Amino acid sequence: MPGQPHRLQVDHSERHAALLDAARRSGTFSVQMARLATGDYLIDDEVLVERKTIADFAASLADGRLFTQAARLACNPRRSILLIEGPVPTTMRDVHPHALQGALVSLAAMWRLPVLHS
């Protein structure tokens, strides 16, 4: 129905995220903090979003978390999206740009996860 806010469940790990503040200010979402087993944001119980900064994306690739998270997202019955946000930080884990690009291609092609940049 027009005018009704979307229901947004946000994992407690995101309580300090700028995206959460923006969602609250928008008036578009009814925000509820929750413990999500997978992902960081759940929209209308249909779309699952894993949010990563560029630095966290590089760190999760380097320490092996990225593809474990991708597997959980890909196996989830909801539509899953990976959101990579922010500018390239001045200090970041030393990961070759080709490795980052390869990971993005793998997420999209092999895991069939849409990757959005903001």
Side-chain angles (χ1 to χ4, degrees):
M1 266 186 183
Q4 285 196 333
H6 293 279
R7 196 174 71 152
L8 178 65
Q9 291 178 285
V10 181
D11 191 79
H12 294 290
S13 66
E14 292 289 300
R15 67 187 169 277
H16 300 297
L19 183 57
L20 173 58
D21 290 336
R24 285 182 168 144
R25 285 191 315 267
S26 74
T28 305
F29 298 97
S30 169
V31 177
Q32 174 188 10
M33 300 305 291
R35 160 91 175 67
L36 299 177
T38 302
D40 297 312
Y41 298 86
L42 180 58
I43 305 167
D44 292 335
D45 205 34
E46 293 179 16
V47 179
L48 187 61
V49 179
E50 173 70 28
R51 183 192 70 87
K52 290 193 174 297
T53 63
I54 293 172
D56 187 39
F57 181 76
S60 63
L61 176 61
D63 68 21
R65 288 181 292 134
L66 182 64
F67 294 114
T68 301
Q69 290 174 331
R72 286 197 315 264
L73 289 167
C75 292
N76 195 286
R78 297 171 178 99
R79 291 183 183 175
S80 297
I81 297 171
L82 176 64
L83 173 65
I84 301 175
E85 73 172 14
V88 176
T90 54
T91 59
M92 188 170 82
R93 193 145 186 181
D94 191 22
V95 177
H96 195 281
H98 291 167
L100 295 172
Q101 291 171 349
L104 289 170
V105 169
S106 180
L107 291 169
M110 295 179 67
W111 294 100
R112 298 177 188 255
L113 288 172
V115 179
L116 304 174
H117 298 261
S118 71

